[in-house]
Amino acid sequence: MSAETSAAQGRDEHFLRVFQRSFRTWRGQRPFWAGLFTMLGGLPIAYLPYADLRLGNITLAMATTAGAGSLIIGVLLVTLGLTMWFQAPVRVFSGIAAIVLALISIPVANIGGFLIGFLCALLGGALAISWAPGKPAAEAAGPSDTAEPAAGRHPLDEPDHRGEPTLPAPRADEVYDPNVTGTTAHADGGRNSAG
């Protein structure tokens, strides 16, 4: 292999670069950030009721009667985050469930994990609901974007890329007036005339 030859993509590259490229592709095909924020929201909600804070010889225990409820909410949020990652088609359900669990965690789990878990789970649920899979570049362009209009025809006379007809172009003898709409009847036998 000479100095002029380039490395074959995926074969002769460093394994970290290959891993980074494959991880970026994997991350782009699912609501990655939504799942991450949802899981990060579940951790403080589940952990804080069982945490002990030690200040010298003093131990502060935050155990509450709702410890089991906060543990269940935290585990469910982590599970919903993993579901967003590995089952992207159910992202809307997972997002709604994450928002509901985040709201329930306010009275049950120490103000939603001292608002840290609540805000992370709320953000993750909202991101999951709003995420939509992207289209490949060739598919996103569509046939109507690349096709040239027929000779002598106005591009607005063609239906748009969704198949919906567009308004016809004005006639050559019509003067453009922004106050005249397509439903205005013209006295000289316009578009909506009866005869």
Side-chain angles (χ1 to χ4, degrees), residues 37-134:
F37 278 116
T38 304
M39 285 187 282
L40 288 177
L43 293 177
I45 290 174
Y47 175 72
L48 287 176
Y50 297 102
D52 291 336
L53 179 63
R54 297 174 197 259
L55 298 172
N57 292 334
I58 301 171
T59 302
L60 298 174
M62 297 192 47
T64 62
T65 57
S70 62
L71 181 65
I72 290 171
I73 290 172
V75 168
L76 285 175
L77 283 172
V78 170
T79 305
L80 287 171
L82 290 171
T83 302
M84 291 174 198
W85 278 3
F86 297 108
Q87 295 294 327
V90 295
R91 67 187 180 279
V92 176
F93 168 76
S94 299
I96 292 171
I99 290 173
V100 168
L101 285 172
L103 291 172
I104 291 172
S105 74
I106 291 175
V108 171
N110 294 331
I111 311 172
F114 293 119
L115 293 180
I116 298 168
F118 165 72
L119 291 175
C120 286
L122 198 66
L123 179 64
L127 286 173
I129 292 172
S130 66
W131 185 84

Side-chain angles (χ1 to χ4, degrees), residues 99-180:
I99 290 173
V100 168
L101 285 172
L103 291 172
I104 291 172
S105 74
I106 291 175
V108 171
N110 294 331
I111 311 172
F114 293 119
L115 293 180
I116 298 168
F118 165 72
L119 291 175
C120 286
L122 198 66
L123 179 64
L127 286 173
I129 292 172
S130 66
W131 185 84
K135 294 181 180 177
E139 198 177 299
S144 64
D145 293 343
T146 59
E148 292 291 324
R153 298 204 54 169
H154 193 275
L156 291 178
D157 292 338
E158 300 292 325
D160 65 358
H161 66 280
R162 295 179 302 240
E164 298 172 1
T166 58
L167 292 175
R171 295 188 312 227
D173 60 339
E174 287 182 339
V175 178
Y176 175 72
D177 183 9
N179 297 324
V180 176

